[in-house]
Amino acid sequence: VLAAEWNKDAFGAKSVSDALKSMGASAPVDSKDISIKAPDIAENGAVVPVEITSKIAGTTSIAIMAEKNANPLVANFNLSNGAEGYVSTRIKMGQTSLVRAVVKAGGKTYTAAKEVKVTIGGCGG
Amino acid sequence: FALDSKQALAGNIPSNFYELPKFGNVSVMHFTDCHAQLLPIYFREPNVNIGVGASVGKPPHLVGENLLKHYGFKPNTPESHAFTYLNFEQASKTYGKVGGFAHLASLVKNIRAQRPGALLLDGGDTWQGSATSLWTNGQDMVDACKLLGVNVMTGHWEFTFGADRVKHIVDNDFKGNLDFVAQNIKTNDFGDQVFKPYVMKHMNGVPVAIIGQAFPYTPIANPRYLVPDWSFGIQDDNMQKVVDEARSKGAQVVIVLSHNGMDVDLKMASRVTGIDAIMGGHTHDGIPAPSIIKNAKGQTLVTNAGSNGKFLGVLDFDVRGGKVQGYKYKLLPVFSNLIEPDKAMESLIKKVRAPYEAKLNEKLAITEDTLYRRGNFNGTFDQLILDAMMEVKGADLAFSPGFRWGTSLLAGDTITMERLMDQTAITYPTSTLNEMTGENVKAIMEDVCDNLFNPDPYYQQGGDMVRVGGLQYTCNPNQKIGSRISNMMLNGKPLSPTKTYLVAGWAPVGEVKGEPIWDVVATYLRDKKVIKPRKLNLPKLVGMDKNPGIA
Amino acid sequence: MADAMKIRATAQGDSADIKVLMNHVMETGLRKDAKTGQLIPAHFIQNVSASVNGKEVLDAQWGGAISKNPYLGFKVKGAKAGDKVVVNWEDNKGEKNTVEATVS
Ligand SMILES: [Mn+2]
Ligand SMILES: [Mn+2]
């Protein structure tokens, strides 16, 4: 199957709002049915595990953004044929920032965010 | 188990000081953060341990008289000496040294005699902190813990010996007699469990689950390259799963053996249900009574058992009808003058030390003042390390990590190589000299300060503030990251954000080769011979006037 | 030829839990070479797709901020032991890789 063309504008966008616009997902609604599992403090900013679960019925896509990255959009997953509202991956974060999930379901767009701290490290009890 | 009466009399210690009446039917002993101190030592508790946000004035953020008052202790008592810094020099002479594995072993045997089958838990930071543990690759502590009869342990500094070494010990030395548990360590590939998350023990027929919680921020606070394939983290959703599984398999008592640090434990206790007690360490808080935390389905006790082998916690549960009906807890100070050392442990320690005695006993200098480390911002031994680094390395300013381990010395004591190693014995001891802009210096200080004073405990890593030599500054713990540190002055001039400075440091988390810190400090000590009282470089604090975490 | 991917597909209740590890540098194109100071050209996976018994279940677009040697986990309801899972990726240079597993 040939994938849809890579969304150059969305991945090249320098802000969350520009990325959302390019994805056709402006003004998403905050949702408590999206949960983001990510560390409070990243063990390594280059490898931050992020797991998104959407309990919104009919979830068809999940996008991940790291708000303070030069290009906030990290990935967009289209789900079909039984794929659950769930993706797990590892992302790069340049600095402490909100990690945002953007979910499309039933033609509407929903969102949730969680802060992940990126630290220099080296201390101890 | 008789007290040495002459000693007891001198310190006003009641003759029943170590008599713990039996209670209930499930008993657990707990020590943590002994930092490889096999022999009795001195250890001064902090006079600065600030709590911010919801933690202001709550345990563990109480020092000195505020702590005594909170727990109903009187000044000039054995408890006052055990739990506070008050009158440290004089009281140390009255009560003698604290800790030591031979003394701890006698105490453990005594408790076990009254409570057959009682479990002994080791909260970690056991294999690191002394010369002999570093030189034997942790083996001295591994052997001592087996002889002590430890049943279950978790870890933190253990991992700085490297993942392979830890795995080797767990799979060989510990096989069949000691369980290493950690629900929060998973492989980096598919997230598989590296160690058993918990172990089910039985006492008087009651199933007791001991769940391990290793230090969540090990790959951040310590070098990542030492545990390259493992991921840690707090993982309280997985903790809930493990608790539920243990309960479903019949556990009537659930205990979390934690190396989270006390503030993180307190928050975890409010979020995860079904835990009877979190027995914690890492933050080195000697807390006389459990904090009782309510949550959605009941309550959880949170304890913290101090450091350096100074304490043994004893938690007794009355379990009837399948659940806990009552409890008693006591954190016993290990005053070595009052306890007859255990012979077998004594001879093991002697044997372990024999090849190193000459090196350990090298006299480097005499100190004219108390040397200690604990405290949020600085300690006299850290100041000594900073002064040594700046002079030997020719630096403008120096950083020394806010470690909470390290023993204390009394005025007039000899600083031997062993005492120097107590402060510096780590597997990544490299001393460094780097060029840094003023902006970089501030970024580091802000970052570490946020690890200490972030109002959300899950963002705290449990160490103290990085010690700073040469640079004066103001600190406002109530601010946010980026705004806590101000008025940075070097030699009477403001630190320039763009100018480059020579900064000395040690314990880099990256892979850097160079002279170990103990050589730098030993050079300085041999040269000075007598160490005059240090002037502590402390920040000017803002907004902390009434904080009960400052004496 | 790119290195082999690792995959694990296990049935859990009425779903299959699928975890994949891919070998890839994932260069963003924004990073400078420490020695030469030159920008390292972008080289990252842009498209990932997955199917169960030939039916597409996931079609993803990635940017350079997915970590080096990427990890992907997803769950498919109704997939069961014995079903065939295939995962493909294609990067910005047109390189491709594929891996198969049977749900166990
Ligand atoms: Mn410790
Ligand atoms: Mn620790």
Side-chain angles (χ1 to χ4, degrees), chain A residues 2-88:
Chain A
L2 197 71
E5 204 183 333
W6 193 69
N7 194 335
K8 203 175 164 189
D9 290 345
F11 283 101
K14 303 247 185 282
S15 70
V16 172
S17 60
D18 286 355
L20 285 172
K21 226 175 279 167
S22 304
M23 293 162 66
S26 310
V29 180
D30 286 337
S31 170
K32 290 207 162 68
D33 293 324
I34 303 169
S35 62
I36 302 173
K37 196 173 139 189
D40 298 310
I41 308 179
E43 290 182 3
N44 176 354
V47 191
V48 182
V50 176
E51 198 178 291
I52 316 273
T53 306
S54 164
K55 293 214 172 93
I56 303 167
T59 293
T60 51
S61 77
I62 297 174
I64 300 173
M65 298 194 186
E67 293 204 341
K68 287 200 182 157
N69 279 8
N71 303 122
L73 181 61
V74 175
N76 187 20
F77 300 84
N78 291 306
L79 306 164
S80 55
N81 293 318
E84 294 180 21
Y86 166 91
V87 288
S88 175

Side-chain angles (χ1 to χ4, degrees), chain A residues 124-125, chain B residues 33-35 124-125 156-157 259 281-284 307 404-405:
Chain B
D33 295 81
C34 74
H35 285 281
D125 281 2
H156 167 202
W157 277 91
H259 204 97
H282 182 59
T283 36
H284 295 196
S307 71
R404 291 189 171 191
W405 39 270

Side-chain angles (χ1 to χ4, degrees), chain A residues 82-97:
Chain A
E84 294 180 21
Y86 166 91
V87 288
S88 175
T89 188
R90 295 167 190 160
I91 72 171
K92 298 173 196 166
M93 291 179 65
Q95 56 180 303
T96 299
S97 149

